[in-house]
């Protein structure tokens, strides 16, 4: 069965007298365990689409079926429950709680579960999720004590901790360097291999190559929807460490030699 | 939402902003502390007043000239001239329940001894006045009935006068002058401390009323009759008999009102405790204003905090928090803040009461009710002033909240 189904989705923003049609009739069907990249120029409506998919925003027209259920029929509380249990959302800006440790950030969605988990269970699941993203040794670090890539991993762990069916990631690599981006993509591919449906917004074609399906938005409409065999991020990472790092090492080494100056004589 | 997570999340949020939490709680600390201190002091003062009324003497009835409202506690300064020395003598001699009666006049006079002088209230009283007041002599003796009869020029003085005029040397047998009259000091009163109204009771001189009325005060009528009754059971009978006797002596027709007012020691006490209760309430309401201001402080901080934490709220909503969860979180935050402040306030209040009471020489009284009420009120303040910001937060739209910088 299809996990997500969009039919003629429109979203119009009204700011005073000005109307902006961010989405103008999007039809999209995403199946179980697909890894889909959404691309498009800035302002084409990618974030708007993700917000609607994430039940954070509702369309002005059209129908959105999630697991066969029409989202428009749900009330605020039911939507909150879907955000909590079915969907995992990764924001471009991380949105971690400041001065709060990684594990507490990851625990957050579990606190809002309807069923009552024990504190031990909550702790264990947060630790497990951080383990999956490779941060098992950073449980007690606060966001200021983490690198950008690590923060994004915490955000992914937070999205995973509820064991969602769908992971929605709005530019998860937007703030990261190429190497860290590859690591995040490698993680996402692994999760996808395990059966998680993934929709990821990106504006970098190199990143989109790792998805099996690429949808391109322009002016609120889908302009292209293609499938192909994706690259494996794990392979790229392996290549990376041999070529790029060696090259960088050499370049740095040369410069060190030429720029080395004798130490200052300090008179006594 | 997980129930035990509500206080957990609220506490975490408060801990993330320790400084702000403390400063906000300070408003409540001051408010609750003020309430507890004020109530404690008011009650301490009340207890002190009661204690002093008891020190007035045993089974005492005061007869004032003219008609007075009960509640005019101000003893003395009788406006009407209706009570005479003869009235006092008649009370003592004709009513068996009356064991002592002293006609009193009071006037502020300058006492001169050598090159020193001191202004003090000089009282004219009868020989049994000290018995009525239950006031012992420390040194020397009280004047006798015989001395009263012949208007002897003698005086018994209080501790303050001894200090001011004699600077510690023995005053017995010395002569002080009042309006040119030489008075021999024959006794010194034991110290008595502050009076109901806060004046120093030891600052006085007592002379026989025969000397005091015309020659010192220049008055012919008594300002008050101090009467002592045999025992407590006889108080009501004595009161009735005094009324009858005085009406008869003053030749009042049955339709005429009394031209005097009788107050028992108990009534004086009632008025005094009533006054101190009113004071307590007054102080408590002033303190409540402080608490109210503290509450507004909480509301202000919570509002700022909701605005500041819009993104946090947005994120919580995005990961599945429901409106009521957010509402509850902010509400509990405000309540915890207030309860913290309440407990701190109790601590501050207890210390402040202890310190002030020890300076004022009052007993420090703490009422558990005041503490319970103060903490209850502070929790209510938390709910009341926390609700609007909390409700505002719970109404936020997740994406709008997340987008806000
Ligand atoms: N809250 C809003 N109010 C009004 N207009 C909005 C709002 N959010 C988005 N828009 C408009 O909708 C259009 C699509 O915005 P959206 O954020 O979806 O673009 P995007 O594809 O995510 O762009 P980017 O790659 O820069 O993130 C833009 O023209 C934008 O100005
Ligand atoms: Mg965007």
């Amino acid at each position: 069965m299809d996990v997500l189904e969009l039919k003629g989705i429109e979203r119009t923003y009204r700011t005073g007298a000005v109307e902006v049609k961010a989405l103008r009739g999007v039809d999209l069907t995403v199946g179980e365990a697909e890894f889909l990249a959404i691309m498009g120029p800035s302002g084409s409506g990618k974030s708007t689409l993700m917000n609607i998919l994430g039940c954070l925003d509702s369309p002005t027209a059209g129908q959105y079926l999630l697991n066969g259920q029409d989202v428009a029929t749900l009330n605020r509380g039911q939507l909150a429950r879907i955000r909590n249990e079915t969907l995992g959302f990764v924001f471009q800006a991380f949105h971690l709680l400041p001065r709060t440790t990684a594990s507490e950030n990851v625990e957050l969605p579990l606190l809002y579960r309807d069923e009552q988990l024990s504190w031990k269970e909550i702790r264990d699941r947060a630790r497990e999720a951080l383990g999956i993203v490779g941060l098992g040794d950073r449980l007690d670090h606060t966001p200021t004590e983490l690198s950008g890539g690590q923060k994004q991993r915490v955000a992914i762990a937070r999205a995973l901790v509820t064991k969602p069916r769908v992971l929605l990631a709005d530019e998860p690599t937007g703030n990261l360097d190429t190497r860290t981006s590859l690591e995040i993509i490698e993680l996402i591919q692994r999760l996808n291999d395990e059966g998680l449906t993934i929709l990821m917004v990106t504006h970098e074609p190199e990143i989109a190559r790792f998805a099996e399906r690429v949808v391109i938005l322009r002016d609120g409409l889908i302009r292209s929807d293609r499938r192909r065999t994706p690259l494996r991020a794990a392979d790229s990472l392996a290549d990376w460490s041999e070529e790029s790092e060696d090259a960088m090492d050499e370049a740095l080494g040369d410069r060190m030699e030429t720029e080395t100056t004798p130490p200052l004589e300090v008179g006594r | 939402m997980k129930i035990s997570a509500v206080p957990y999340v609220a506490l975490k949020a408060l801990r993330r902003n320790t400084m702000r939490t403390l400063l906000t709680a300070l408003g409540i600390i001051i408010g609750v502390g003020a309430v507890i201190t004020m109530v404690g002091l008011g009650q301490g003062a009340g207890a002190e007043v009661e204690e002093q009324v008891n020190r007035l003497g045993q089974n005492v009835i005061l007869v004032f000239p003219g008609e007075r409202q009960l509640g005019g506690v101000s003893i003395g300064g009788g406006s009407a001239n209706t009570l005479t020395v003869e009235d006092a003598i008649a009370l003592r001699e004709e009513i068996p329940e009356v064991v002592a009666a002293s006609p009193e006049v009071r006037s502020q006079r300058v006492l001169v001894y050598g090159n020193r002088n001191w202004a003090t209230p000089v009282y004219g009283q009868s020989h049994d006045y000290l018995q009525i007041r239950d006031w012992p002599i420390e040194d020397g003796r009280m004047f006798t009935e015989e001395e009263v009869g012949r208007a002897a020029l003698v005086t018994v003085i209080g501790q303050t006068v001894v200090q001011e005029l004699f600077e510690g040397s023995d005053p017995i047998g010395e002569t002080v002058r009042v309006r040119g009259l030489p008075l021999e000091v024959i006794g010194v009163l034991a110290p008595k401390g502050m009076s109901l109204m806060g004046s120093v009771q030891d600052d006085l001189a007592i002379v026989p009323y025969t000397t005091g009325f015309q020659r010192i005060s220049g008055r012919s009528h008594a300002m008050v009759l101090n009467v002592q009754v045999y025992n407590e059971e006889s108080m009501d009978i004595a009161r009735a008999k005094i009324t009858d006797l005085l009406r008869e002596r003053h030749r009042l027709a049955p339709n005429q009102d009394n031209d005097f007012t009788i107050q028992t020691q108990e009534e004086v006490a009632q008025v005094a405790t009533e006054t101190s209760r009113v004071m307590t309430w007054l102080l408590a309401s002033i303190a409540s204003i402080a608490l109210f201001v503290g509450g507004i402080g909480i509301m202000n901080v919570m509002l700022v905090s909701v605005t500041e934490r819009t993104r946090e709220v947005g994120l919580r909503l995005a990961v599945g928090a429901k409106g009521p969860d957010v509402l509850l979180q902010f509400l509990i935050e405000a309540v915890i803040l207030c309860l913290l402040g309440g407990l701190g306030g109790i601590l501050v209040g207890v210390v402040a009461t202890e310190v002030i009471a020890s300076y004022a020489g009052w007993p420090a009284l703490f009422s558990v009710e005041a503490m319970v009420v103060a903490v209850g009120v502070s929790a209510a303040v938390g709910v009341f002033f926390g609700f609007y910001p909390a409700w505002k937060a719970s109404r936020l739209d997740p994406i709008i909240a997340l987008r806000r910088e």
Side-chain angles (χ1 to χ4, degrees):
Chain A
M1 197 182 74
D2 295 326
V3 181
L4 306 171
E5 195 176 353
L6 299 180
K7 292 181 202 161
I9 292 289
E10 292 179 18
R11 179 66 169 96
T12 310
Y13 291 109
R14 272 189 199 85
T15 325
V18 190
E19 275 196 4
V20 179
K21 289 201 167 189
L23 296 176
R24 301 189 295 169
V26 171
D27 299 305
L28 183 67
T29 306
V30 181
E32 186 89 51
E34 267 196 279
F35 179 11
L36 185 145
I38 299 171
M39 296 192 64
S42 187
S44 56
K46 305 182 296 291
S47 293
T48 306
L49 181 62
M50 288 299 266
N51 289 338
I52 288 173
L53 287 169
C55 296
L56 293 166
D57 193 8
S58 39
T60 25
Q63 201 180 30
Y64 169 23
L65 301 179
L66 178 62
N67 288 323
Q69 187 174 34
D70 188 351
V71 168
T73 62
L74 303 173
N75 64 26
R76 272 174 76 105
Q78 289 168 318
L79 287 175
R81 184 165 182 165
I82 287 191
R83 287 200 290 271
N84 186 259
E85 293 176 0
T86 317
L87 304 171
F89 211 108
V90 179
F91 303 92
Q92 179 175 357
F94 313 139
H95 290 316
L96 299 181
L97 291 186
R99 276 163 282 174
T100 304
T101 65
S103 67
E104 281 166 356
N105 262 296
V106 175
E107 283 165 16
L108 201 60
L110 295 180
L111 301 182
Y112 296 111
R113 280 257 131 147
D114 275 346
E115 83 255 40
Q116 305 271 313
L117 300 172
S118 71
W119 281 108
K120 184 182 183 312
E121 206 170 335
I122 289 176
R123 299 263 138 78
D124 289 349
R125 283 182 66 169
R127 188 171 303 145
E128 184 193 335
L130 280 166
I132 292 173
V133 300
L135 286 178
D137 54 345
R138 294 284 192 280
L139 299 178
D140 294 326
H141 287 229
T142 58
T144 47
E145 298 162 356
L146 294 169
S147 72
Q150 286 168 334
K151 276 188 257 196
Q152 193 60 290
R153 283 162 196 260
V154 174
I156 292 173
R158 184 178 62 197
L160 293 178
V161 77
T162 57
K163 302 204 164 74
R165 285 195 68 188
V166 182
L167 184 72
L168 299 164
D170 193 353
E171 303 206 37
T173 61
N175 288 325
L176 307 177
D177 62 61
T178 322
R179 157 98 198 180
T180 319
S181 299
L182 277 178
E183 285 170 2
I184 297 289
I185 297 297
E186 191 269 334
L187 170 64
I188 288 176
Q189 275 187 336
R190 251 194 295 138
L191 295 166
N192 180 236
D193 292 342
E194 289 163 19
L196 186 64
T197 308
I198 292 168
L199 280 82
M200 176 183 76
V201 168
T202 179
H203 58 261
E204 296 163 84
E206 311 90 81
I207 297 293
R209 284 182 306 171
F210 296 101
E212 60 192 17
R213 182 177 167 196
V214 179
V215 169
I216 296 177
L217 274 182
R218 188 168 301 138
D219 292 335
L221 284 172
I222 292 182
R223 283 298 146 94
S224 121
D225 185 350
R226 270 182 224 169
R227 282 170 200 279
R228 57 170 154 190
T229 320
L231 293 180
R232 296 298 299 178
D235 300 341
S236 307
L237 271 175
D239 293 347
W240 176 280
S241 37
E242 275 165 23
E243 298 163 18
S244 318
E245 263 172 25
D246 285 355
M248 195 178 285
D249 214 29
E250 264 166 42
L252 273 175
D254 287 350
R255 200 184 299 163
M256 291 287 269
E257 258 165 56
T258 51
E259 285 183 6
T260 301
T261 46
L264 282 173
E265 297 271 343
V266 182
R268 337 182 17 179
Chain B
M1 183 179 182
K2 186 175 173 59
I3 291 153
S4 58
V6 176
Y8 170 81
V9 168
L11 278 173
K12 283 276 170 201
L14 288 173
R15 267 194 44 198
R16 255 187 284 139
N17 253 310
T18 321
M19 198 60 196
R20 180 166 62 193
T21 303
L22 287 181
L23 286 176
T24 317
L26 197 61
I28 296 293
I29 289 177
I30 291 172
V32 170
V35 167
I36 292 197
T37 310
M38 295 300 182
V39 171
L41 287 181
Q43 289 188 336
E48 178 66 10
V49 162
E50 223 163 299
E51 162 85 23
Q52 284 184 352
V53 169
N54 288 337
R55 263 190 269 152
L56 264 181
Q58 293 272 294
N59 309 323
V60 172
I61 288 179
L62 303 175
V63 185
F64 296 96
E67 215 183 356
R68 299 173 129 231
Q69 290 290 313
L70 205 103
V73 201
S74 57
I75 294 165
S79 46
N81 286 332
T82 57
L83 295 177
T84 62
V85 171
E86 289 71 36
D87 284 337
I89 295 168
L91 292 183
R92 191 191 304 152
E93 290 180 350
E94 292 175 35
I95 301 174
E97 285 82 5
V98 171
V99 294
S102 175
E104 173 180 318
V105 280
R106 191 194 64 232
S107 49
Q108 187 79 10
R109 292 289 176 259
V110 178
L111 269 58
V112 184
Y113 173 72
N115 60 354
R116 299 182 66 86
N117 53 55
W118 178 246
T120 192
V122 178
Y123 287 80
Q125 301 280 11
S126 68
H127 65 282
D128 45 17
Y129 175 66
L130 294 186
Q131 173 196 333
I132 299 173
R133 291 290 309 272
D134 199 11
W135 196 342
I137 284 274
E138 191 183 69
D139 203 5
R141 61 177 181 88
M142 180 62 172
F143 44 78
T144 61
E145 195 169 3
E146 184 265 330
E147 279 167 322
V148 173
R150 61 178 166 86
L153 295 176
V154 290
T155 182
V156 173
I157 56 178
Q159 293 285 336
T160 309
V161 179
V162 175
Q163 276 159 27
E164 294 299 332
L165 284 183
F166 297 95
E167 295 175 293
S169 72
D170 184 12
I172 305 290
E174 299 295 325
T175 300
V176 294
R177 288 185 171 273
V178 182
R179 287 180 124 190
L181 279 180
L183 298 177
E184 185 192 345
V185 178
I186 58 168
V188 173
L189 293 164
K192 195 136 179 165
M194 302 273 251
S195 82
L196 283 182
M197 301 299 135
S199 61
V200 180
Q201 295 192 84
D202 294 322
D203 188 7
L204 85 170
I206 302 175
V207 299
Y209 64 82
T210 40
T211 313
F213 270 62
Q214 295 294 353
R215 298 168 82 178
I216 293 179
S217 300
R219 293 177 67 104
S220 55
H221 288 81
M223 291 170 159
V224 61
L225 304 182
N226 299 291
V227 179
Q228 188 173 35
V229 175
Y230 176 60
N231 61 15
E232 213 178 321
E233 288 74 44
S234 314
M235 289 291 273
D236 289 337
I237 309 168
R239 186 192 183 114
K241 287 188 177 174
I242 291 170
T243 309
D244 289 346
L245 182 60
L246 289 179
R247 285 186 69 88
E248 190 194 312
R249 289 181 55 83
H250 295 180
R251 299 180 209 292
L252 297 177
N255 60 345
Q256 271 179 295
D257 286 337
N258 289 347
D259 59 357
F260 54 89
T261 306
I262 297 179
Q263 274 186 11
T264 62
Q265 171 202 348
E266 226 165 278
E267 287 162 353
V268 176
Q270 260 173 21
V271 172
T273 30
E274 181 58 31
T275 311
S276 79
R277 193 158 53 230
V278 170
M279 271 292 280
T280 305
W281 272 106
L282 206 74
L283 292 173
S285 30
I286 293 170
S288 313
I289 294 173
L291 192 56
F292 187 76
V293 172
I296 293 178
I298 295 244
M299 171 134 111
N300 183 26
V301 167
M302 293 311 287
L303 272 175
V304 169
S305 143
V306 166
T307 316
E308 229 181 63
R309 285 156 62 191
T310 306
R311 286 216 290 170
E312 177 196 326
V313 174
L315 174 79
R316 288 180 188 276
L317 291 169
V319 299
K322 298 178 181 73
D325 296 338
V326 172
L327 180 88
L328 205 61
Q329 180 198 330
F330 277 88
L331 215 50
I332 295 288
E333 262 180 50
V335 170
I336 290 178
L337 212 51
C338 283
L339 283 179
L340 274 179
L343 292 181
I346 287 182
L347 219 74
V348 168
V350 165
V351 171
T353 312
E354 202 74 69
V355 169
I356 297 176
S358 82
Y359 272 106
W362 286 331
L365 286 189
F366 304 107
S367 85
V368 177
E369 289 115 297
M371 292 182 193
V372 170
V373 168
V375 171
V377 165
S378 58
V381 161
V383 173
F384 186 77
F385 290 105
F387 189 84
Y388 175 64
W391 177 81
K392 235 184 115 179
S394 74
R395 300 292 303 163
L396 281 170
D397 191 319
I399 30 166
I400 293 175
L402 277 174
R403 195 167 291 153
R404 182 104 39 99
E405 279 314 311

mmCIF file with all atom_site columns, all heavy atoms in Angstrom, chain A residues 42-43 45-48 50 92 170-171 201, ligand 2:
data_model
loop_
_atom_site.group_PDB
_atom_site.id
_atom_site.type_symbol
_atom_site.label_atom_id
_atom_site.label_alt_id
_atom_site.label_comp_id
_atom_site.label_asym_id
_atom_site.label_entity_id
_atom_site.label_seq_id
_atom_site.pdbx_PDB_ins_code
_atom_site.Cartn_x
_atom_site.Cartn_y
_atom_site.Cartn_z
_atom_site.occupancy
_atom_site.B_iso_or_equiv
_atom_site.pdbx_formal_charge
_atom_site.auth_seq_id
_atom_site.auth_comp_id
_atom_site.auth_asym_id
_atom_site.auth_atom_id
_atom_site.pdbx_PDB_model_num
ATOM   1  N  N   . SER A 1 42  ? 14.969 27.829 -5.012 1.00 0.00 ? 42  SER A N   1
ATOM   2  C  CA  . SER A 1 42  ? 14.470 28.456 -3.795 1.00 0.00 ? 42  SER A CA  1
ATOM   3  C  C   . SER A 1 42  ? 13.109 29.094 -4.058 1.00 0.00 ? 42  SER A C   1
ATOM   4  O  O   . SER A 1 42  ? 12.898 29.711 -5.090 1.00 0.00 ? 42  SER A O   1
ATOM   5  C  CB  . SER A 1 42  ? 15.466 29.513 -3.335 1.00 0.00 ? 42  SER A CB  1
ATOM   6  O  OG  . SER A 1 42  ? 15.081 30.001 -2.090 1.00 0.00 ? 42  SER A OG  1
ATOM   7  N  N   . GLY A 1 43  ? 12.186 28.883 -3.154 1.00 0.00 ? 43  GLY A N   1
ATOM   8  C  CA  . GLY A 1 43  ? 10.856 29.462 -3.299 1.00 0.00 ? 43  GLY A CA  1
ATOM   9  C  C   . GLY A 1 43  ? 9.917  28.624 -4.129 1.00 0.00 ? 43  GLY A C   1
ATOM   10 O  O   . GLY A 1 43  ? 8.784  29.020 -4.385 1.00 0.00 ? 43  GLY A O   1
ATOM   11 N  N   . GLY A 1 45  ? 8.519  25.909 -3.242 1.00 0.00 ? 45  GLY A N   1
ATOM   12 C  CA  . GLY A 1 45  ? 7.466  25.300 -2.425 1.00 0.00 ? 45  GLY A CA  1
ATOM   13 C  C   . GLY A 1 45  ? 7.866  24.011 -1.742 1.00 0.00 ? 45  GLY A C   1
ATOM   14 O  O   . GLY A 1 45  ? 7.012  23.309 -1.206 1.00 0.00 ? 45  GLY A O   1
ATOM   15 N  N   . LYS A 1 46  ? 9.158  23.728 -1.667 1.00 0.00 ? 46  LYS A N   1
ATOM   16 C  CA  . LYS A 1 46  ? 9.614  22.460 -1.074 1.00 0.00 ? 46  LYS A CA  1
ATOM   17 C  C   . LYS A 1 46  ? 9.270  22.387 0.413  1.00 0.00 ? 46  LYS A C   1
ATOM   18 O  O   . LYS A 1 46  ? 8.706  21.403 0.887  1.00 0.00 ? 46  LYS A O   1
ATOM   19 C  CB  . LYS A 1 46  ? 11.140 22.307 -1.257 1.00 0.00 ? 46  LYS A CB  1
ATOM   20 C  CG  . LYS A 1 46  ? 11.628 22.421 -2.696 1.00 0.00 ? 46  LYS A CG  1
ATOM   21 C  CD  . LYS A 1 46  ? 13.124 22.215 -2.809 1.00 0.00 ? 46  LYS A CD  1
ATOM   22 C  CE  . LYS A 1 46  ? 13.954 23.260 -2.097 1.00 0.00 ? 46  LYS A CE  1
ATOM   23 N  NZ  . LYS A 1 46  ? 13.912 24.595 -2.708 1.00 0.00 ? 46  LYS A NZ  1
ATOM   24 N  N   . SER A 1 47  ? 9.624  23.461 1.124  1.00 0.00 ? 47  SER A N   1
ATOM   25 C  CA  . SER A 1 47  ? 9.354  23.443 2.573  1.00 0.00 ? 47  SER A CA  1
ATOM   26 C  C   . SER A 1 47  ? 7.859  23.418 2.842  1.00 0.00 ? 47  SER A C   1
ATOM   27 O  O   . SER A 1 47  ? 7.386  22.733 3.756  1.00 0.00 ? 47  SER A O   1
ATOM   28 C  CB  . SER A 1 47  ? 9.978  24.660 3.238  1.00 0.00 ? 47  SER A CB  1
ATOM   29 O  OG  . SER A 1 47  ? 11.375 24.564 3.175  1.00 0.00 ? 47  SER A OG  1
ATOM   30 N  N   . THR A 1 48  ? 7.117  24.163 2.031  1.00 0.00 ? 48  THR A N   1
ATOM   31 C  CA  . THR A 1 48  ? 5.662  24.166 2.182  1.00 0.00 ? 48  THR A CA  1
ATOM   32 C  C   . THR A 1 48  ? 5.119  22.752 2.042  1.00 0.00 ? 48  THR A C   1
ATOM   33 O  O   . THR A 1 48  ? 4.291  22.298 2.844  1.00 0.00 ? 48  THR A O   1
ATOM   34 C  CB  . THR A 1 48  ? 5.046  25.083 1.115  1.00 0.00 ? 48  THR A CB  1
ATOM   35 O  OG1 . THR A 1 48  ? 5.663  26.359 1.211  1.00 0.00 ? 48  THR A OG1 1
ATOM   36 C  CG2 . THR A 1 48  ? 3.554  25.225 1.307  1.00 0.00 ? 48  THR A CG2 1
ATOM   37 N  N   . MET A 1 50  ? 6.751  19.928 2.498  1.00 0.00 ? 50  MET A N   1
ATOM   38 C  CA  . MET A 1 50  ? 7.190  19.098 3.625  1.00 0.00 ? 50  MET A CA  1
ATOM   39 C  C   . MET A 1 50  ? 6.328  19.355 4.861  1.00 0.00 ? 50  MET A C   1
ATOM   40 O  O   . MET A 1 50  ? 5.979  18.431 5.595  1.00 0.00 ? 50  MET A O   1
ATOM   41 C  CB  . MET A 1 50  ? 8.656  19.390 3.962  1.00 0.00 ? 50  MET A CB  1
ATOM   42 C  CG  . MET A 1 50  ? 9.626  18.861 2.948  1.00 0.00 ? 50  MET A CG  1
ATOM   43 S  SD  . MET A 1 50  ? 9.511  17.062 2.791  1.00 0.00 ? 50  MET A SD  1
ATOM   44 C  CE  . MET A 1 50  ? 10.756 16.548 3.917  1.00 0.00 ? 50  MET A CE  1
ATOM   45 N  N   . GLN A 1 92  ? 15.899 21.705 8.935  1.00 0.00 ? 92  GLN A N   1
ATOM   46 C  CA  . GLN A 1 92  ? 17.158 22.233 8.429  1.00 0.00 ? 92  GLN A CA  1
ATOM   47 C  C   . GLN A 1 92  ? 17.918 22.933 9.560  1.00 0.00 ? 92  GLN A C   1
ATOM   48 O  O   . GLN A 1 92  ? 19.126 22.846 9.666  1.00 0.00 ? 92  GLN A O   1
ATOM   49 C  CB  . GLN A 1 92  ? 16.855 23.230 7.303  1.00 0.00 ? 92  GLN A CB  1
ATOM   50 C  CG  . GLN A 1 92  ? 18.104 23.854 6.718  1.00 0.00 ? 92  GLN A CG  1
ATOM   51 C  CD  . GLN A 1 92  ? 17.770 24.732 5.531  1.00 0.00 ? 92  GLN A CD  1
ATOM   52 O  OE1 . GLN A 1 92  ? 16.623 24.829 5.122  1.00 0.00 ? 92  GLN A OE1 1
ATOM   53 N  NE2 . GLN A 1 92  ? 18.779 25.353 4.964  1.00 0.00 ? 92  GLN A NE2 1
ATOM   54 N  N   . ASP A 1 170 ? 13.907 18.127 5.960  1.00 0.00 ? 170 ASP A N   1
ATOM   55 C  CA  . ASP A 1 170 ? 13.977 19.348 5.151  1.00 0.00 ? 170 ASP A CA  1
ATOM   56 C  C   . ASP A 1 170 ? 15.410 19.865 5.155  1.00 0.00 ? 170 ASP A C   1
ATOM   57 O  O   . ASP A 1 170 ? 15.855 20.448 6.139  1.00 0.00 ? 170 ASP A O   1
ATOM   58 C  CB  . ASP A 1 170 ? 13.015 20.393 5.726  1.00 0.00 ? 170 ASP A CB  1
ATOM   59 C  CG  . ASP A 1 170 ? 12.796 21.554 4.766  1.00 0.00 ? 170 ASP A CG  1
ATOM   60 O  OD1 . ASP A 1 170 ? 13.491 21.588 3.727  1.00 0.00 ? 170 ASP A OD1 1
ATOM   61 O  OD2 . ASP A 1 170 ? 11.947 22.413 5.059  1.00 0.00 ? 170 ASP A OD2 1
ATOM   62 N  N   . GLU A 1 171 ? 16.098 19.620 4.051  1.00 0.00 ? 171 GLU A N   1
ATOM   63 C  CA  . GLU A 1 171 ? 17.505 20.005 3.916  1.00 0.00 ? 171 GLU A CA  1
ATOM   64 C  C   . GLU A 1 171 ? 18.340 19.581 5.111  1.00 0.00 ? 171 GLU A C   1
ATOM   65 O  O   . GLU A 1 171 ? 18.908 20.409 5.816  1.00 0.00 ? 171 GLU A O   1
ATOM   66 C  CB  . GLU A 1 171 ? 17.629 21.527 3.715  1.00 0.00 ? 171 GLU A CB  1
ATOM   67 C  CG  . GLU A 1 171 ? 16.831 21.975 2.500  1.00 0.00 ? 171 GLU A CG  1
ATOM   68 C  CD  . GLU A 1 171 ? 17.378 23.244 1.880  1.00 0.00 ? 171 GLU A CD  1
ATOM   69 O  OE1 . GLU A 1 171 ? 18.621 23.391 1.864  1.00 0.00 ? 171 GLU A OE1 1
ATOM   70 O  OE2 . GLU A 1 171 ? 16.587 24.054 1.406  1.00 0.00 ? 171 GLU A OE2 1
ATOM   71 N  N   . VAL A 1 201 ? 14.374 16.877 1.374  1.00 0.00 ? 201 VAL A N   1
ATOM   72 C  CA  . VAL A 1 201 ? 14.538 18.051 0.520  1.00 0.00 ? 201 VAL A CA  1
ATOM   73 C  C   . VAL A 1 201 ? 16.014 18.371 0.432  1.00 0.00 ? 201 VAL A C   1
ATOM   74 O  O   . VAL A 1 201 ? 16.733 18.301 1.433  1.00 0.00 ? 201 VAL A O   1
ATOM   75 C  CB  . VAL A 1 201 ? 13.783 19.262 1.114  1.00 0.00 ? 201 VAL A CB  1
ATOM   76 C  CG1 . VAL A 1 201 ? 14.179 20.536 0.397  1.00 0.00 ? 201 VAL A CG1 1
ATOM   77 C  CG2 . VAL A 1 201 ? 12.279 19.044 1.039  1.00 0.00 ? 201 VAL A CG2 1
HETATM 78 MG MG1 . LIG C 2 .   ? 12.772 25.520 2.366  1.00 0.00 ? 2   LIG C MG1 1
#
